[in-house]
Amino acid sequence: MRYLHSTKGFTLIEILIALAVFSMLGVMTTVILVGALQGAKKAAAVALVKNEGSRVINTMTQMLKYSPSVTACALNSITFQPRTDASDPAVFACLGADPYYIASNSASLINNNKVEMTSCTISCNNADPALINTVNINFTLQMKNATFATENADTTFKTQIGLRNQEQ
């Protein structure tokens, strides 16, 4: 009886080494992909928070900058005439307590349910409404219900608005 002895094929050791090498490549690829996806989630969260905060700042700046008169500024709120032909005054106020919100005549300026405000202050440079020529606004926004650290974003917005029609 003749035995076939072939040198073609792989030994068990060679197969195990190849399996280990490919397993390590798979693990390294997975780690790199997970890191990239987490970075993309963090960037999206930061962009959302910054866009919402910038929109709030721009809305307040547009309305306050050319306001013909300020009638009150106290307790984290400012009351002003938005236009010379407006009969009713407008109000910006920091309301609530963690989460806060900035309201314009009781309507929240934050219209995104993924973002919440954690601090808010509105102040003026003078207690006398006739002498007010700058308004300081400071607030912090963060992602609401972020489950992972990579999904969390926290940004502080600070601006000083010069009232053009109030300058002395």
Side-chain angles (χ1 to χ4, degrees):
M1 186 176 226
R2 221 171 119 201
Y3 291 101
L4 295 173
H5 182 54
S6 173
T7 57
K8 294 180 183 176
F10 299 105
T11 65
L12 181 60
I13 298 290
E14 290 172 333
I15 292 173
L16 289 175
I17 290 173
L19 186 63
V21 167
F22 285 119
S23 296
M24 291 299 287
L25 287 173
V27 167
M28 290 188 317
T29 304
T30 302
V31 168
I32 290 170
L33 286 175
V34 167
L37 290 174
Q38 288 176 342
K41 282 184 181 180
K42 179 72 170 183
V46 168
L48 181 68
V49 168
K50 284 188 176 187
N51 285 340
E52 190 67 20
S54 295
R55 191 189 57 73
V56 170
I57 290 283
N58 289 339
T59 300
M60 295 178 79
T61 299
Q62 286 175 356
M63 291 185 74
L64 284 169
K65 193 171 199 170
Y66 297 104
S67 167
S69 67
V70 172
T71 55
C73 185
L75 301 172
N76 282 333
S77 70
I78 183 166
T79 305
F80 62 98
Q81 284 299 122
R83 300 179 316 271
T84 53
D85 61 345
S87 59
D88 294 329
V91 177
F92 285 133
C94 294
L95 302 173
D98 203 7
Y100 294 89
Y101 64 97
I102 294 180
S104 171
N105 293 344
S106 77
S108 178
L109 290 178
I110 296 176
N111 61 8
N112 191 317
N113 61 358
K114 294 181 180 180
V115 175
E116 67 184 354
M117 188 174 288
T118 58
S119 68
C120 179
T121 59
I122 297 174
S123 62
C124 298
N125 68 325
N126 201 312
D128 183 1
L131 299 176
I132 294 172
N133 60 8
T134 58
V135 176
N136 300 307
I137 300 167
N138 186 357
F139 61 90
T140 303
L141 293 180
Q142 72 178 16
M143 288 296 291
K144 187 189 283 187
N145 301 327
T147 53
F148 299 106
T150 56
E151 295 173 350
N152 196 15
D154 185 314
T155 304
T156 299
F157 296 87
K158 192 183 275 191
T159 190
Q160 185 177 51
I161 301 170
L163 307 179
R164 296 225 170 174
N165 295 335
Q166 298 291 317
E167 293 178 359
Q168 304 297 319

